[in-house]
Amino acid sequence: LKEEFSTDAGFVKKFKLGAGGRSLSHPNIVSVYDVVDEGSIHYIVMELIEGITLKSYITKKGRLSSKEAIGIAIQVAQGIAAAHDQHIVHRDIKPQNMIISRDGKVKVADFGIARAVSSQTIGATAIGSVHYISPEQARGGFERFQEDIYSLGITMFEMVTGTVP
């Protein structure tokens, strides 16, 4: 947890609850193993994925073929669906939160912790990254599963065009 947030008791509480209380087990979701406090240092022990973020991959390739984009989108959608089955809304779906392992498996990261630690959130009432946030989230609306699907659609657009809308 960034030092500037570690002295805010409310933020630390959200960090711990979000990271530790919402652990999901699915092949397309990065596993969270533990949440640790060592004095003023708070951190999460997560599965190590050797690979590249989808954002870096898009930047490297420029744009992906339809076939490759669909294959990635299916894996991401499976991870999101597993979270939604557990009544968890990610709220920060974006290529930076997707990791492609060396063997081609795609995993969604930061489930349950996007609210607490995202460096690109809009504000306290509207959570998400500017380019990927749904209009409902931007207005500070209720958390709904559709918001993750909207953000996945923006990510898919970026995969095939190389740019955000």
Side-chain angles (χ1 to χ4, degrees), residues 1-163:
L1 181 61
K2 291 183 179 182
E3 191 175 333
E4 64 257 31
F5 300 122
S6 66
T7 58
D8 181 335
F11 197 91
V12 171
K13 182 179 179 181
K14 285 180 187 178
F15 177 78
K16 287 195 246 181
L17 287 173
R22 293 185 172 195
S23 187
L24 294 166
S25 178
H26 188 274
N28 298 109
I29 297 175
V30 175
S31 297
V32 173
Y33 298 127
D34 201 2
V35 181
V36 182
D37 292 317
E38 292 183 355
S40 64
I41 298 173
H42 312 279
Y43 60 94
I44 300 168
V45 180
M46 300 171 70
E47 174 183 12
L48 173 63
I49 310 294
E50 293 192 30
I52 186 172
T53 67
L54 178 57
K55 183 68 170 185
S56 295
Y57 189 65
I58 293 168
T59 300
K60 181 179 166 183
K61 288 194 79 171
R63 66 179 124 216
L64 311 184
S65 70
S66 297
K67 182 178 180 180
E68 189 173 27
I70 290 167
I72 291 169
I74 287 170
Q75 291 184 67
V76 171
Q78 289 171 332
I80 292 170
H84 290 179
D85 287 345
Q86 298 298 315
H87 306 286
I88 296 171
V89 179
H90 187 289
R91 301 183 323 149
D92 200 19
I93 294 294
K94 60 186 177 184
Q96 295 88 329
N97 284 341
M98 299 169 194
I99 303 171
I100 305 170
S101 68
R102 289 183 178 165
D103 67 356
K105 182 166 293 241
V106 181
K107 293 195 175 221
V108 181
D110 291 344
F111 265 100
I113 60 174
R115 169 191 285 174
V117 299
S118 177
S119 62
Q120 297 178 336
T121 54
I122 289 176
T125 57
I127 305 300
S129 297
V130 171
H131 296 294
Y132 308 94
I133 190 170
S134 71
E136 295 80 9
Q137 280 176 288
R139 283 188 228 112
F142 296 104
E143 301 171 18
R144 298 185 325 224
F145 301 125
Q146 294 90 331
E147 294 165 359
D148 285 348
I149 296 167
Y150 178 94
S151 299
L152 176 57
I154 298 298
T155 299
M156 292 167 64
F157 179 93
E158 185 175 0
M159 282 192 284
V160 297
T161 67
T163 63

